[in-house]
Amino acid sequence: MHSDSSNRASWGLKLAAWGGLVFLHFPILIIFIYAFNTESSGFSFPPLGFTLHWFSVALARADVLEAVKLSAQIACLATLIAMILGTLAAAALYRRDFFGKESISMLLILPIALPGIITGLALLAAFKSFGIEPGILTIVIGHATFCVVIVYNNAIARLRRTSHSLIEASMDLGADGWQTFRYIVLPNLGSALLAGGMLAFALSFDEIIVTTFTAGHERTLPLWLLNQLSRPRDVPVTNVVAMLVMLVTMLPILGAYYLTKGGEGVAGSGK
């Protein structure tokens, strides 16, 4: 009797889990189907046929290419800044205890914990107070604020798993600080930093809330997609671009997962 009830509970949990996954991913599947729909309105279901025509149309649009280029540039710059600052912060905080350490850790994590609208408003107010006009620089700074958290969490989690005796042995054998970092610390951090960088790139590439407050006249790909909602004639192209955005952001996340699975979990992989 107990076994039967346990099996029913197990099947119930599995069905609930699969139901949740279907609920979350069904809209994504619909976008993928619409991207290949021959109907120019883009919303006929079931599709009247399948075509690759809209892909060629989307890739020939100058506004789409400019938005993709801008988003990629911003994501690369924000990720680079996050890799440097996040790694340095993790190296400074992972072992030593000092007054204010917990406050500094909280400040590092705060941008990703706060609602995006709060972060965006705070950044806009700060930029205005310093007389900085919104543009590419402000977008990069805004994205770097939460990308740093991703890299920091991954780096500090890996550093805590690294035996400090390796560093001590390196120093005892005559290596200076740079040599120890290059030959001991960095190889151990490699996959964690790569995973953190890939996650940071994915988050930056499709960020829209903070970007809305810091973009000024610049138009990243997510802002382009938001603007397309008022243009029903461009629905097929919008579906294609939305699908490509999902693929661009999904692949780095999957890559980060495979890089860090097997006991080296990604810390702070959710925003």
Side-chain angles (χ1 to χ4, degrees):
M1 182 69 70
H2 177 71
S3 177
D4 291 341
S5 62
S6 297
N7 287 334
R8 284 196 297 270
S10 176
W11 276 107
L13 288 173
K14 289 179 180 178
L15 287 174
W18 280 106
L21 288 173
V22 171
F23 178 77
L24 290 172
H25 293 91
F26 183 73
I28 298 176
L29 177 63
I30 293 298
I31 291 294
F32 274 59
I33 293 174
Y34 281 155
F36 296 94
N37 192 359
T38 55
E39 175 59 45
S40 60
S41 67
F43 286 123
S44 61
F45 194 86
L48 300 178
F50 290 89
T51 180
L52 296 176
H53 170 69
W54 303 118
F55 287 83
S56 60
V57 173
L59 294 176
R61 291 270 298 263
D63 56 339
V64 174
L65 297 179
E66 286 297 321
V68 171
K69 181 181 177 182
L70 179 61
S71 289
Q73 288 175 340
I74 290 170
C76 287
L77 290 172
T79 300
L80 178 62
I81 294 171
M83 293 279 283
I84 296 171
L85 296 182
T87 305
L88 292 176
L93 296 175
Y94 89 102
R95 285 193 79 246
R96 299 193 179 276
D97 291 321
F98 53 88
F99 178 76
K101 176 180 177 179
E102 296 302 322
S103 298
I104 294 174
S105 298
M106 185 186 70
L107 288 174
L108 283 169
I109 298 172
L110 195 60
I112 209 168
L114 287 173
I117 191 170
I118 301 298
T119 304
L121 282 170
L123 286 169
L124 181 61
F127 293 141
K128 291 294 185 181
S129 65
F130 285 104
I132 302 174
E133 290 298 320
I136 294 179
L137 175 63
T138 56
I139 302 174
V140 171
I141 294 173
H143 288 196
T145 56
F146 57 79
C147 288
V148 166
V149 184
I150 303 299
V151 178
Y152 166 77
N153 281 347
N154 281 278
I156 202 166
R158 181 62 58 83
L159 285 170
R160 286 170 177 166
R161 298 187 184 102
T162 302
S163 175
H164 192 67
S165 60
L166 293 173
I167 299 174
E168 292 175 342
S170 174
M171 303 296 283
D172 288 342
L173 291 171
D176 57 28
W178 167 248
Q179 289 173 321
T180 300
F181 177 78
R182 180 181 177 186
Y183 295 111
I184 303 298
V185 177
L186 195 57
N188 282 285
L189 281 178
S191 60
L193 290 179
L194 182 58
M198 293 169 73
L199 286 169
F201 181 90
L203 285 177
S204 174
F205 191 84
D206 69 353
E207 162 56 37
I208 186 168
I209 300 176
V210 173
T211 310
T212 302
F213 290 94
T214 58
H217 298 293
E218 302 293 340
R219 182 174 294 178
T220 62
L221 194 56
L223 291 180
W224 181 90
L225 285 169
L226 182 64
N227 186 62
Q228 288 297 108
L229 294 177
S230 61
R231 299 182 178 182
R233 292 184 179 180
D234 284 348
V235 165
V237 175
T238 305
N239 290 331
V240 169
V241 175
M243 187 190 78
L244 294 178
V245 169
M246 284 186 281
L247 290 175
V248 167
T249 54
M250 179 179 67
L251 293 177
I253 294 173
L254 290 175
Y257 166 75
Y258 283 109
L259 277 172
T260 53
K261 73 175 183 177
E264 303 289 353
V266 178
S269 58
K271 181 180 177 186

